[in-house]
Tab-separated table of all heavy atoms in Angstrom:
chain	number	residue	atom	x	y	z
A	178	MET	N	-82.772	-61.404	109.446
A	178	MET	CA	-82.194	-61.460	110.766
A	178	MET	C	-82.628	-62.744	111.456
A	178	MET	O	-83.777	-63.133	111.379
A	178	MET	CB	-82.683	-60.258	111.561
A	178	MET	CG	-81.660	-59.618	112.371
A	178	MET	SD	-82.397	-58.151	113.153
A	178	MET	CE	-80.942	-57.478	113.750
A	179	LYS	N	-81.737	-63.371	112.145
A	179	LYS	CA	-82.059	-64.620	112.825
A	179	LYS	C	-82.844	-64.332	114.098
A	179	LYS	O	-82.536	-63.422	114.842
A	179	LYS	CB	-80.788	-65.383	113.169
A	179	LYS	CG	-80.051	-65.898	111.972
A	179	LYS	CD	-78.837	-66.690	112.407
A	179	LYS	CE	-78.074	-67.178	111.200
A	179	LYS	NZ	-76.886	-67.915	111.580
A	180	GLU	N	-83.862	-65.139	114.319
A	180	GLU	CA	-84.651	-65.045	115.539
A	180	GLU	C	-83.907	-65.752	116.666
A	180	GLU	O	-83.424	-66.864	116.495
A	180	GLU	CB	-86.020	-65.704	115.349
A	180	GLU	CG	-86.909	-64.998	114.364
A	180	GLU	CD	-87.471	-63.705	114.911
A	180	GLU	OE1	-87.686	-63.612	116.130
A	180	GLU	OE2	-87.676	-62.788	114.107
A	181	LEU	N	-83.806	-65.098	117.820
A	181	LEU	CA	-83.191	-65.730	118.983
A	181	LEU	C	-84.244	-66.509	119.742
A	181	LEU	O	-85.371	-66.041	119.908
A	181	LEU	CB	-82.566	-64.685	119.907
A	181	LEU	CG	-81.345	-63.955	119.384
A	181	LEU	CD1	-80.897	-62.917	120.396
A	181	LEU	CD2	-80.215	-64.932	119.130
A	182	GLN	N	-83.907	-67.679	120.186
A	182	GLN	CA	-84.825	-68.439	121.013
A	182	GLN	C	-84.891	-67.801	122.389
A	182	GLN	O	-83.963	-67.119	122.811
A	182	GLN	CB	-84.367	-69.888	121.115
A	182	GLN	CG	-84.430	-70.613	119.781
A	182	GLN	CD	-83.937	-72.045	119.908
A	182	GLN	OE1	-83.447	-72.451	120.952
A	182	GLN	NE2	-84.067	-72.788	118.834
A	183	ALA	N	-85.983	-68.005	123.099
A	183	ALA	CA	-86.221	-67.362	124.386
A	183	ALA	C	-85.099	-67.612	125.386
A	183	ALA	O	-84.765	-66.748	126.177
A	183	ALA	CB	-87.549	-67.825	124.960
A	184	HIS	N	-84.476	-68.783	125.339
A	184	HIS	CA	-83.448	-69.115	126.326
A	184	HIS	C	-82.037	-68.736	125.866
A	184	HIS	O	-81.083	-68.895	126.601
A	184	HIS	CB	-83.511	-70.603	126.667
A	184	HIS	CG	-83.206	-71.492	125.494
A	184	HIS	ND1	-84.149	-71.789	124.555
A	184	HIS	CD2	-82.079	-72.116	125.116
A	184	HIS	CE1	-83.601	-72.576	123.637
A	184	HIS	NE2	-82.347	-72.790	123.958
A	185	SER	N	-81.904	-68.227	124.669
A	185	SER	CA	-80.584	-67.872	124.141
A	185	SER	C	-80.114	-66.533	124.693
A	185	SER	O	-80.898	-65.616	124.878
A	185	SER	CB	-80.625	-67.772	122.616
A	185	SER	OG	-80.931	-69.008	122.048
A	186	LYS	N	-78.827	-66.454	124.954
A	186	LYS	CA	-78.234	-65.188	125.371
A	186	LYS	C	-77.961	-64.352	124.124
A	186	LYS	O	-77.606	-64.893	123.080
A	186	LYS	CB	-76.922	-65.430	126.115
A	186	LYS	CG	-77.095	-66.081	127.451
A	186	LYS	CD	-75.752	-66.201	128.151
A	186	LYS	CE	-75.928	-66.872	129.488
A	186	LYS	NZ	-74.644	-67.035	130.178
A	187	PRO	N	-78.111	-63.015	124.218
A	187	PRO	CA	-77.802	-62.186	123.061
A	187	PRO	C	-76.322	-62.309	122.689
A	187	PRO	O	-75.458	-62.424	123.557
A	187	PRO	CB	-78.115	-60.768	123.513
A	187	PRO	CG	-78.685	-60.863	124.875
A	187	PRO	CD	-78.543	-62.261	125.362
A	188	VAL	N	-76.039	-62.287	121.430
A	188	VAL	CA	-74.663	-62.341	120.945
A	188	VAL	C	-74.194	-60.905	120.736
A	188	VAL	O	-74.865	-60.119	120.069
A	188	VAL	CB	-74.579	-63.126	119.616
A	188	VAL	CG1	-73.172	-63.082	119.062
A	188	VAL	CG2	-75.045	-64.558	119.822
A	189	HIS	N	-73.079	-60.563	121.341
A	189	HIS	CA	-72.518	-59.228	121.159
A	189	HIS	C	-71.471	-59.294	120.052
A	189	HIS	O	-70.602	-60.165	120.068
A	189	HIS	CB	-71.874	-58.714	122.444
A	189	HIS	CG	-72.882	-58.432	123.508
A	189	HIS	ND1	-72.554	-57.816	124.675
A	189	HIS	CD2	-74.203	-58.666	123.593
A	189	HIS	CE1	-73.615	-57.690	125.440
A	189	HIS	NE2	-74.626	-58.214	124.791
A	190	ARG	N	-71.571	-58.384	119.119
A	190	ARG	CA	-70.603	-58.318	118.034
A	190	ARG	C	-69.922	-56.960	118.069
A	190	ARG	O	-70.557	-55.946	118.272
A	190	ARG	CB	-71.306	-58.519	116.695
A	190	ARG	CG	-71.885	-59.930	116.604
A	190	ARG	CD	-72.565	-60.179	115.310
A	190	ARG	NE	-71.630	-59.979	114.209
A	190	ARG	CZ	-72.021	-59.850	112.952
A	190	ARG	NH1	-73.293	-59.897	112.645
A	190	ARG	NH2	-71.132	-59.672	112.007
A	191	ARG	N	-68.639	-56.965	117.874
A	191	ARG	CA	-67.848	-55.734	117.897
A	191	ARG	C	-67.945	-55.029	116.546
A	191	ARG	O	-67.901	-55.663	115.496
A	191	ARG	CB	-66.387	-56.067	118.192
A	191	ARG	CG	-65.492	-54.858	118.299
A	191	ARG	CD	-64.082	-55.274	118.641
A	191	ARG	NE	-64.024	-55.994	119.903
A	191	ARG	CZ	-63.820	-55.421	121.086
A	191	ARG	NH1	-63.682	-54.125	121.167
A	191	ARG	NH2	-63.759	-56.146	122.178
A	192	ILE	N	-68.119	-53.704	116.606
A	192	ILE	CA	-68.089	-52.887	115.398
A	192	ILE	C	-67.104	-51.747	115.627
A	192	ILE	O	-66.818	-51.387	116.764
A	192	ILE	CB	-69.476	-52.319	115.027
A	192	ILE	CG1	-69.984	-51.381	116.118
A	192	ILE	CG2	-70.456	-53.441	114.754
A	192	ILE	CD1	-71.152	-50.536	115.679
A	193	GLY	N	-66.606	-51.214	114.570
A	193	GLY	CA	-65.705	-50.073	114.679
A	193	GLY	C	-66.406	-48.812	114.202
A	193	GLY	O	-67.121	-48.824	113.215
A	194	THR	N	-66.246	-47.739	114.935
A	194	THR	CA	-66.823	-46.460	114.544
A	194	THR	C	-65.951	-45.341	115.109
A	194	THR	O	-65.112	-45.585	115.976
A	194	THR	CB	-68.291	-46.345	115.012
A	194	THR	OG1	-68.880	-45.194	114.429
A	194	THR	CG2	-68.391	-46.267	116.516
A	195	THR	N	-66.143	-44.158	114.613
A	195	THR	CA	-65.369	-43.023	115.107
A	195	THR	C	-66.305	-41.940	115.614
A	195	THR	O	-67.431	-41.788	115.128
A	195	THR	CB	-64.462	-42.438	114.012
A	195	THR	OG1	-65.270	-42.059	112.893
A	195	THR	CG2	-63.425	-43.453	113.565
A	196	PHE	N	-65.836	-41.198	116.611
A	196	PHE	CA	-66.578	-40.093	117.194
A	196	PHE	C	-65.632	-38.908	117.340
A	196	PHE	O	-64.425	-39.089	117.512
A	196	PHE	CB	-67.111	-40.458	118.589
A	196	PHE	CG	-68.144	-41.554	118.578
A	196	PHE	CD1	-67.784	-42.874	118.803
A	196	PHE	CD2	-69.474	-41.257	118.357
A	196	PHE	CE1	-68.733	-43.881	118.809
A	196	PHE	CE2	-70.432	-42.268	118.359
A	196	PHE	CZ	-70.063	-43.574	118.575
A	197	THR	N	-66.192	-37.719	117.317
A	197	THR	CA	-65.390	-36.532	117.607
A	197	THR	C	-65.146	-36.467	119.116
A	197	THR	O	-65.844	-37.137	119.897
A	197	THR	CB	-66.110	-35.245	117.165
A	197	THR	OG1	-67.298	-35.091	117.967
A	197	THR	CG2	-66.453	-35.266	115.686
A	198	GLU	N	-64.191	-35.672	119.520
A	198	GLU	CA	-63.934	-35.499	120.955
A	198	GLU	C	-65.179	-34.960	121.647
A	198	GLU	O	-65.515	-35.381	122.756
A	198	GLU	CB	-62.748	-34.555	121.188
A	198	GLU	CG	-61.409	-35.186	120.900
A	198	GLU	CD	-61.104	-36.369	121.819
A	198	GLU	OE1	-61.423	-36.314	123.026
A	198	GLU	OE2	-60.557	-37.365	121.323
A	199	SER	N	-65.865	-34.046	120.999
A	199	SER	CA	-67.088	-33.476	121.566
A	199	SER	C	-68.159	-34.542	121.765
A	199	SER	O	-68.827	-34.580	122.802
A	199	SER	CB	-67.621	-32.374	120.648
A	199	SER	OG	-68.857	-31.890	121.114
A	200	GLU	N	-68.331	-35.411	120.789
A	200	GLU	CA	-69.310	-36.498	120.906
A	200	GLU	C	-68.937	-37.438	122.050
A	200	GLU	O	-69.803	-37.841	122.832
A	200	GLU	CB	-69.423	-37.269	119.597
A	200	GLU	CG	-70.078	-36.472	118.495
A	200	GLU	CD	-69.921	-37.112	117.128
A	200	GLU	OE1	-68.933	-37.849	116.899
A	200	GLU	OE2	-70.795	-36.866	116.275
A	201	LEU	N	-67.662	-37.780	122.151
A	201	LEU	CA	-67.209	-38.649	123.234
A	201	LEU	C	-67.437	-37.997	124.594
A	201	LEU	O	-67.855	-38.672	125.546
A	201	LEU	CB	-65.741	-39.025	123.057
A	201	LEU	CG	-65.447	-39.966	121.893
A	201	LEU	CD1	-63.946	-40.154	121.741
A	201	LEU	CD2	-66.139	-41.304	122.082
A	202	ASP	N	-67.188	-36.702	124.677
A	202	ASP	CA	-67.440	-35.985	125.931
A	202	ASP	C	-68.917	-36.052	126.302
A	202	ASP	O	-69.270	-36.293	127.458
A	202	ASP	CB	-66.999	-34.521	125.830
A	202	ASP	CG	-65.497	-34.350	125.797
A	202	ASP	OD1	-64.766	-35.299	126.170
A	202	ASP	OD2	-65.050	-33.259	125.404
A	203	GLN	N	-69.783	-35.870	125.313
A	203	GLN	CA	-71.224	-35.923	125.562
A	203	GLN	C	-71.660	-37.327	125.987
A	203	GLN	O	-72.480	-37.482	126.896
A	203	GLN	CB	-72.002	-35.492	124.324
A	203	GLN	CG	-71.901	-34.009	124.041
A	203	GLN	CD	-72.647	-33.640	122.784
A	203	GLN	OE1	-72.328	-34.099	121.698
A	203	GLN	NE2	-73.665	-32.820	122.949
A	204	ILE	N	-71.120	-38.336	125.329
A	204	ILE	CA	-71.435	-39.728	125.691
A	204	ILE	C	-70.976	-40.004	127.114
A	204	ILE	O	-71.713	-40.580	127.921
A	204	ILE	CB	-70.781	-40.715	124.702
A	204	ILE	CG1	-71.453	-40.608	123.326
A	204	ILE	CG2	-70.826	-42.146	125.233
A	204	ILE	CD1	-70.698	-41.282	122.198
A	205	ASP	N	-69.761	-39.593	127.438
A	205	ASP	CA	-69.224	-39.825	128.785
A	205	ASP	C	-70.054	-39.101	129.845
A	205	ASP	O	-70.359	-39.664	130.894
A	205	ASP	CB	-67.762	-39.383	128.865
A	205	ASP	CG	-66.834	-40.282	128.064
A	205	ASP	OD1	-67.237	-41.416	127.714
A	205	ASP	OD2	-65.707	-39.840	127.773
A	206	GLU	N	-70.444	-37.858	129.577
A	206	GLU	CA	-71.266	-37.099	130.522
A	206	GLU	C	-72.632	-37.751	130.694
A	206	GLU	O	-73.147	-37.852	131.807
A	206	GLU	CB	-71.423	-35.654	130.050
A	206	GLU	CG	-70.152	-34.851	130.185
A	206	GLU	CD	-70.271	-33.460	129.581
A	206	GLU	OE1	-71.403	-32.974	129.363
A	206	GLU	OE2	-69.215	-32.853	129.315
A	207	TRP	N	-73.230	-38.211	129.578
A	207	TRP	CA	-74.530	-38.880	129.637
A	207	TRP	C	-74.418	-40.145	130.487
A	207	TRP	O	-75.250	-40.388	131.361
A	207	TRP	CB	-74.993	-39.209	128.213
A	207	TRP	CG	-76.352	-39.812	128.133
A	207	TRP	CD1	-77.534	-39.146	128.009
A	207	TRP	CD2	-76.676	-41.210	128.182
A	207	TRP	NE1	-78.568	-40.050	127.977
A	207	TRP	CE2	-78.078	-41.322	128.081
A	207	TRP	CE3	-75.922	-42.369	128.296
A	207	TRP	CZ2	-78.735	-42.546	128.088
A	207	TRP	CZ3	-76.581	-43.595	128.310
A	207	TRP	CH2	-77.967	-43.675	128.205
A	208	GLY	N	-73.399	-40.938	130.228
A	208	GLY	CA	-73.206	-42.165	130.984
A	208	GLY	C	-72.930	-41.903	132.452
A	208	GLY	O	-73.482	-42.570	133.332
A	209	PHE	N	-72.081	-40.921	132.718
A	209	PHE	CA	-71.739	-40.600	134.110
A	209	PHE	C	-72.985	-40.180	134.886
A	209	PHE	O	-73.187	-40.604	136.025
A	209	PHE	CB	-70.690	-39.487	134.161
A	209	PHE	CG	-70.260	-39.134	135.547
A	209	PHE	CD1	-69.373	-39.939	136.245
A	209	PHE	CD2	-70.753	-37.992	136.170
A	209	PHE	CE1	-68.985	-39.612	137.542
A	209	PHE	CE2	-70.374	-37.664	137.457
A	209	PHE	CZ	-69.488	-38.474	138.148
A	210	SER	N	-73.843	-39.379	134.260
A	210	SER	CA	-75.049	-38.905	134.950
A	210	SER	C	-76.012	-40.043	135.249
A	210	SER	O	-76.888	-39.915	136.098
A	210	SER	CB	-75.749	-37.824	134.126
A	210	SER	OG	-76.335	-38.378	132.963
A	211	ARG	N	-75.844	-41.176	134.561
A	211	ARG	CA	-76.690	-42.349	134.779
A	211	ARG	C	-75.934	-43.479	135.474
A	211	ARG	O	-76.391	-44.606	135.514
A	211	ARG	CB	-77.254	-42.832	133.446
A	211	ARG	CG	-78.340	-41.897	132.942
A	211	ARG	CD	-78.512	-41.977	131.450
A	211	ARG	NE	-79.552	-41.065	131.012
A	211	ARG	CZ	-79.383	-39.753	130.841
A	211	ARG	NH1	-78.211	-39.201	131.064
A	211	ARG	NH2	-80.375	-38.989	130.446
A	212	ARG	N	-74.757	-43.144	135.990
A	212	ARG	CA	-73.903	-44.098	136.703
A	212	ARG	C	-73.499	-45.286	135.840
A	212	ARG	O	-73.413	-46.412	136.306
A	212	ARG	CB	-74.562	-44.563	137.993
A	212	ARG	CG	-74.751	-43.455	138.978
A	212	ARG	CD	-75.358	-43.952	140.234
A	212	ARG	NE	-75.157	-42.935	141.260
A	212	ARG	CZ	-75.113	-43.180	142.539
A	212	ARG	NH1	-75.249	-44.404	142.988
A	212	ARG	NH2	-74.924	-42.214	143.397
A	213	ILE	N	-73.272	-45.014	134.568
A	213	ILE	CA	-72.772	-46.025	133.645
A	213	ILE	C	-71.276	-45.756	133.515
A	213	ILE	O	-70.870	-44.736	132.984
A	213	ILE	CB	-73.465	-45.925	132.265
A	213	ILE	CG1	-74.981	-46.062	132.415
A	213	ILE	CG2	-72.910	-46.980	131.311
A	213	ILE	CD1	-75.745	-45.716	131.148
A	214	ARG	N	-70.475	-46.671	133.991
A	214	ARG	CA	-69.031	-46.446	134.018
A	214	ARG	C	-68.331	-46.834	132.726
A	214	ARG	O	-67.223	-46.419	132.462
A	214	ARG	CB	-68.401	-47.216	135.176
A	214	ARG	CG	-68.876	-46.722	136.514
A	214	ARG	CD	-68.237	-47.532	137.617
A	214	ARG	NE	-68.795	-47.172	138.897
A	214	ARG	CZ	-68.139	-46.443	139.788
A	214	ARG	NH1	-66.928	-46.038	139.548
A	214	ARG	NH2	-68.711	-46.146	140.936
A	215	ASP	N	-68.965	-47.626	131.918
A	215	ASP	CA	-68.350	-48.153	130.707
A	215	ASP	C	-68.876	-47.399	129.482
A	215	ASP	O	-70.088	-47.344	129.254
A	215	ASP	CB	-68.701	-49.645	130.626
A	215	ASP	CG	-68.054	-50.334	129.460
A	215	ASP	OD1	-68.526	-50.124	128.325
A	215	ASP	OD2	-67.098	-51.083	129.690
A	216	ARG	N	-67.993	-46.816	128.707
A	216	ARG	CA	-68.392	-46.044	127.529
A	216	ARG	C	-69.160	-46.912	126.538
A	216	ARG	O	-70.152	-46.473	125.960
A	216	ARG	CB	-67.161	-45.424	126.858
A	216	ARG	CG	-67.523	-44.561	125.668
A	216	ARG	CD	-66.295	-44.043	124.965
A	216	ARG	NE	-65.753	-42.902	125.685
A	216	ARG	CZ	-64.538	-42.414	125.494
A	216	ARG	NH1	-63.720	-42.989	124.627
A	216	ARG	NH2	-64.114	-41.368	126.166
A	217	SER	N	-68.712	-48.137	126.341
A	217	SER	CA	-69.407	-49.030	125.410
A	217	SER	C	-70.840	-49.276	125.852
A	217	SER	O	-71.764	-49.297	125.027
A	217	SER	CB	-68.670	-50.360	125.282
A	217	SER	OG	-67.419	-50.173	124.667
A	218	GLU	N	-71.035	-49.460	127.137
A	218	GLU	CA	-72.396	-49.670	127.650
A	218	GLU	C	-73.234	-48.417	127.466
A	218	GLU	O	-74.417	-48.494	127.123
A	218	GLU	CB	-72.359	-50.077	129.130
A	218	GLU	CG	-73.723	-50.336	129.736
A	218	GLU	CD	-74.495	-51.467	129.094
A	218	GLU	OE1	-73.883	-52.349	128.450
A	218	GLU	OE2	-75.735	-51.481	129.223
A	219	ALA	N	-72.652	-47.259	127.679
A	219	ALA	CA	-73.386	-46.007	127.458
A	219	ALA	C	-73.825	-45.903	125.997
A	219	ALA	O	-74.975	-45.543	125.710
A	219	ALA	CB	-72.526	-44.808	127.854
A	220	ILE	N	-72.941	-46.235	125.085
A	220	ILE	CA	-73.280	-46.174	123.660
A	220	ILE	C	-74.381	-47.182	123.342
A	220	ILE	O	-75.347	-46.862	122.633
A	220	ILE	CB	-72.032	-46.402	122.790
A	220	ILE	CG1	-71.074	-45.216	122.956
A	220	ILE	CG2	-72.411	-46.603	121.322
A	220	ILE	CD1	-69.700	-45.432	122.365
A	221	ARG	N	-74.275	-48.401	123.867
A	221	ARG	CA	-75.330	-49.406	123.636
A	221	ARG	C	-76.679	-48.908	124.132
A	221	ARG	O	-77.709	-49.059	123.460
A	221	ARG	CB	-74.982	-50.729	124.323
A	221	ARG	CG	-73.983	-51.574	123.561
A	221	ARG	CD	-73.867	-52.981	124.140
A	221	ARG	NE	-73.278	-53.003	125.468
A	221	ARG	CZ	-71.959	-53.042	125.703
A	221	ARG	NH1	-71.099	-53.085	124.704
A	221	ARG	NH2	-71.501	-53.068	126.937
A	222	ARG	N	-76.689	-48.310	125.308
A	222	ARG	CA	-77.965	-47.816	125.868
A	222	ARG	C	-78.513	-46.650	125.063
A	222	ARG	O	-79.726	-46.553	124.848
A	222	ARG	CB	-77.791	-47.430	127.329
A	222	ARG	CG	-77.586	-48.653	128.210
A	222	ARG	CD	-77.762	-48.299	129.652
A	222	ARG	NE	-77.225	-49.341	130.518
A	222	ARG	CZ	-77.251	-49.275	131.832
A	222	ARG	NH1	-77.778	-48.239	132.444
A	222	ARG	NH2	-76.738	-50.257	132.548
A	223	LEU	N	-77.645	-45.748	124.626
A	223	LEU	CA	-78.102	-44.637	123.797
A	223	LEU	C	-78.722	-45.143	122.506
A	223	LEU	O	-79.791	-44.681	122.085
A	223	LEU	CB	-76.933	-43.691	123.478
A	223	LEU	CG	-76.550	-42.718	124.579
A	223	LEU	CD1	-75.178	-42.109	124.284
A	223	LEU	CD2	-77.602	-41.634	124.700
A	224	VAL	N	-78.074	-46.097	121.874
A	224	VAL	CA	-78.606	-46.666	120.630
A	224	VAL	C	-79.928	-47.362	120.906
A	224	VAL	O	-80.907	-47.192	120.160
A	224	VAL	CB	-77.583	-47.624	119.981
A	224	VAL	CG1	-78.213	-48.399	118.836
A	224	VAL	CG2	-76.363	-46.854	119.503
A	225	SER	N	-79.996	-48.130	121.978
A	225	SER	CA	-81.226	-48.839	122.320
A	225	SER	C	-82.376	-47.860	122.547
A	225	SER	O	-83.491	-48.065	122.049
A	225	SER	CB	-80.999	-49.690	123.572
A	225	SER	OG	-82.173	-50.347	123.942
A	226	GLU	N	-82.120	-46.799	123.284
A	226	GLU	CA	-83.156	-45.797	123.545
A	226	GLU	C	-83.603	-45.114	122.254
A	226	GLU	O	-84.799	-44.880	122.055
A	226	GLU	CB	-82.667	-44.765	124.561
A	226	GLU	CG	-82.601	-45.309	125.972
A	226	GLU	CD	-82.260	-44.253	127.000
A	226	GLU	OE1	-82.495	-43.050	126.752
A	226	GLU	OE2	-81.758	-44.635	128.075
A	227	ALA	N	-82.656	-44.805	121.385
A	227	ALA	CA	-83.002	-44.165	120.115
A	227	ALA	C	-83.842	-45.094	119.241
A	227	ALA	O	-84.809	-44.663	118.611
A	227	ALA	CB	-81.730	-43.745	119.376
A	228	LEU	N	-83.490	-46.379	119.218
A	228	LEU	CA	-84.256	-47.340	118.420
A	228	LEU	C	-85.668	-47.503	118.976
A	228	LEU	O	-86.640	-47.585	118.207
A	228	LEU	CB	-83.532	-48.679	118.369
A	228	LEU	CG	-82.237	-48.683	117.562
A	228	LEU	CD1	-81.502	-50.011	117.750
A	228	LEU	CD2	-82.494	-48.422	116.096
A	229	LYS	N	-85.808	-47.562	120.288
A	229	LYS	CA	-87.135	-47.668	120.900
A	229	LYS	C	-87.971	-46.442	120.569
A	229	LYS	O	-89.158	-46.551	120.260
A	229	LYS	CB	-87.026	-47.831	122.407
A	229	LYS	CG	-86.545	-49.198	122.845
A	229	LYS	CD	-86.366	-49.245	124.343
A	229	LYS	CE	-85.675	-50.514	124.780
A	229	LYS	NZ	-85.363	-50.509	126.220
A	230	ALA	N	-87.363	-45.249	120.642
A	230	ALA	CA	-88.071	-44.014	120.317
A	230	ALA	C	-88.492	-43.996	118.857
A	230	ALA	O	-89.589	-43.550	118.517
A	230	ALA	CB	-87.195	-42.805	120.635
A	231	GLU	N	-87.640	-44.502	117.979
A	231	GLU	CA	-87.949	-44.553	116.556
A	231	GLU	C	-89.132	-45.490	116.293
A	231	GLU	O	-90.023	-45.155	115.515
A	231	GLU	CB	-86.722	-45.022	115.763
A	231	GLU	CG	-86.895	-45.015	114.273
A	231	GLU	CD	-86.993	-43.614	113.688
A	231	GLU	OE1	-86.520	-42.661	114.325
A	231	GLU	OE2	-87.539	-43.480	112.592
A	232	VAL	N	-89.139	-46.633	116.931
A	232	VAL	CA	-90.240	-47.583	116.765
A	232	VAL	C	-91.534	-46.953	117.293
A	232	VAL	O	-92.579	-47.056	116.648
A	232	VAL	CB	-89.940	-48.911	117.484
A	232	VAL	CG1	-91.173	-49.795	117.559
A	232	VAL	CG2	-88.806	-49.641	116.771
A	233	LYS	N	-91.453	-46.297	118.435
A	233	LYS	CA	-92.632	-45.658	119.013
A	233	LYS	C	-93.170	-44.587	118.077
A	233	LYS	O	-94.368	-44.511	117.833
A	233	LYS	CB	-92.291	-45.059	120.374
A	233	LYS	CG	-93.477	-44.473	121.099
A	233	LYS	CD	-93.064	-43.950	122.460
A	233	LYS	CE	-94.214	-43.474	123.295
A	233	LYS	NZ	-95.001	-42.425	122.765
A	234	THR	N	-92.291	-43.775	117.524
A	234	THR	CA	-92.687	-42.721	116.597
A	234	THR	C	-93.321	-43.319	115.345
A	234	THR	O	-94.322	-42.808	114.842
A	234	THR	CB	-91.470	-41.861	116.203
A	234	THR	OG1	-90.912	-41.284	117.396
A	234	THR	CG2	-91.848	-40.757	115.251
A	235	ALA	N	-92.761	-44.400	114.854
A	235	ALA	CA	-93.272	-45.027	113.643
A	235	ALA	C	-94.643	-45.654	113.842
A	235	ALA	O	-95.409	-45.780	112.885
A	235	ALA	CB	-92.276	-46.078	113.141
A	236	THR	N	-94.939	-46.076	115.072
A	236	THR	CA	-96.221	-46.740	115.326
A	236	THR	C	-97.292	-45.796	115.818
A	236	THR	O	-98.432	-46.196	115.963
A	236	THR	CB	-96.048	-47.899	116.324
A	236	THR	OG1	-95.536	-47.380	117.553
A	236	THR	CG2	-95.127	-48.971	115.775
A	237	ASP	N	-96.940	-44.550	116.113
A	237	ASP	CA	-97.934	-43.568	116.584
A	237	ASP	C	-98.734	-42.991	115.437
A	237	ASP	O	-98.427	-42.968	114.328
A	237	ASP	CB	-97.249	-42.420	117.344
A	237	ASP	CG	-96.782	-42.868	118.728
A	237	ASP	OD1	-97.229	-43.925	119.183
A	237	ASP	OD2	-95.988	-42.141	119.333
């Protein structure tokens, strides 16, 4: 993985994935409860939180 320099902006790359209607409803409800209006942003935050939790679990 390439290291980003401190002054570099993160590069966003588009990926394609599928979700069930139930999963989308849960994502939308999670985002709405946190005042996140954009589904993509809600998904990014969920992934980020899960990755942070995984790293924390691995280092404990």
